[in-house]
Amino acid sequence: MVDSARDRITKFFQKNVANRVMRRLPFQTLLETTGRKSGLPRTTPLGGRRTGDEFWFVSEFGDRSQYIRNIMADPHVRLRLKGRWHRGTAVLLPDDDARARMRELPQYNNVGVRTFGTNLLTVRVDLID
């Protein structure tokens, strides 16, 4: 599937402006994946909610997101929550109703996902520590 002009502009802004700023905020939730080509750590700011030993979020571009592609290659991730890093395993849930899931997640993050999302995908991270 080819990205629309809106998707390309959104991804450019996120990669080159928003994500660079958000990664620097000490209590921003961060997802660290392993680059599927480089093998290097790749960090993505995101929003979601921890429920027990699980962290739930919705990807706005689904399998067109680089971090989702990284998860598909290696589901072992790290997640920074409230300034502390946790190891975990990401599980992609394409059969989950992502719009319904967003109603259970913090609304401030969902504004961007709802506004720009074109291929919503629910992700659960099973936290190990």
Side-chain angles (χ1 to χ4, degrees):
M1 178 178 225
V2 177
D3 289 343
S4 69
R6 182 180 86 163
D7 288 355
R8 288 191 304 273
I9 291 167
T10 300
K11 287 178 183 180
F12 178 85
F13 175 78
Q14 287 175 333
K15 179 180 177 184
N16 295 295
V17 180
N19 288 357
R20 289 182 183 194
V21 171
M22 299 301 283
R23 274 193 285 264
R24 289 178 170 43
L25 300 176
F27 288 99
Q28 170 65 47
T29 299
L30 298 176
L31 175 71
E32 183 182 88
T33 60
T34 300
R36 64 193 177 285
K37 295 178 185 177
S38 69
L40 298 173
R42 300 296 183 202
T43 308
T44 304
L46 49 78
R49 171 168 284 138
R50 181 176 185 165
T51 304
D53 289 334
E54 299 172 341
F55 182 83
W56 292 82
F57 68 96
V58 174
S59 169
E60 61 197 313
F61 298 115
D63 61 3
R64 294 195 312 264
S65 295
Q66 296 303 315
Y67 70 91
I68 294 296
R69 291 178 180 176
N70 290 342
I71 288 170
M72 292 167 75
D74 180 359
H76 299 95
V77 300
R78 288 193 329 144
L79 194 65
R80 187 178 78 181
L81 298 169
K82 298 181 181 179
R84 183 171 173 258
W85 286 99
H86 303 268
R87 291 179 301 128
T89 303
V91 180
L92 305 179
L93 301 166
D95 294 330
D96 189 66
D97 183 342
R99 293 197 183 281
R101 179 72 55 191
M102 286 192 306
R103 288 192 288 273
E104 301 172 8
L105 301 176
Q107 294 305 304
Y108 63 88
N109 177 68
N110 289 338
V111 171
V113 174
R114 246 188 228 104
T115 302
F116 301 110
T118 55
N119 188 31
L120 302 179
L121 175 64
T122 301
V123 182
R124 184 188 74 230
V125 177
D126 297 328
L127 301 170
I128 297 167
D129 59 3

